[in-house]
């Protein structure tokens, strides 16, 4: 299969997965992330931290370019999908004293498998990957396909 077709297939698969992770419930109502959490919060011992507080700020879609190549990150309910021009990676968001992304890439690549959130102001997130790459991504509008992605190949 030509490289352009494979790249297009990876992008499409990643965007479909990202849309599925960040989509609304089937009844059209948006879920309230704080609903039902009062009981869980009150059952914590004094001094215990809310492990979801750092991860909740990462929820949603993020997009940008690193070294001129599109990078899209989607986070929902503790699950993460990262799509670059040549690969798709999936995994989880973990609070390990610092918010981390633990991913596994479909092609076995390890350059973006463990990333730490260096900063997140709600508009821009910076992810530093153990492989040495640093991605700066901007928050995307819910339901919108990020701009700046490569064109899909034509048959």
């Amino acid at each position: 299969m030509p490289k352009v077709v494979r790249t297009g297939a990876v992008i499409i698969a990643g965007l479909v997965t990202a849309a599925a992770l960040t989509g609304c419930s089937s009844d059209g109502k948006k879920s309230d992330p704080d609903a039902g959490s009062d009981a869980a919060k009150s059952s914590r011992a004094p001094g215990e931290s809310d492990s979801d507080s750092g991860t909740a700020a990462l929820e949603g879609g993020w997009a940008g370019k690193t070294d001129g190549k599109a990078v899209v990150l989607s986070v929902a309910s503790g699950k993460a999908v990262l799509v670059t021009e040549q690969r798709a990676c999936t995994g989880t968001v973990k609070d390990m004293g610092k918010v981390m992304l633990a991913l596994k890439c479909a092609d076995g690549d390890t350059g973006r498998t463990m990333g730490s959130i260096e900063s997140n102001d709600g508009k821009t997130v910076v992810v530093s990957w153990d492989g040495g790459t640093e991605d700066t991504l901007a928050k995307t509008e819910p339901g919108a396909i990020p701009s700046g992605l490569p064109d899909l190949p034509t048959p």
Side-chain angles (χ1 to χ4, degrees), residues 3 11 15 61 63 67 73 93 103 114 117-118 128-129:
K3 184 177 180 177
I11 291 169
L15 289 174
D67 298 328
L73 172 67
V93 179
L103 307 178
M114 185 59 77
I117 306 304
E118 299 300 327
S128 180
W129 298 98

Side-chain angles (χ1 to χ4, degrees), residues 11-35:
I11 291 169
I12 290 170
L15 289 174
V16 168
T17 304
L21 279 174
T22 59
C24 295
S25 62
S26 61
D27 62 3
K29 296 178 185 174
K30 290 186 178 179
S31 63
D32 180 1
D34 294 327

Side-chain angles (χ1 to χ4, degrees), residues 18-19 22-24 30 59-62 74 138-146:
T22 59
C24 295
K30 290 186 178 179
E59 295 274 323
W62 304 87
S74 181
K139 185 82 167 182
T140 61
E141 291 296 318
I145 294 178

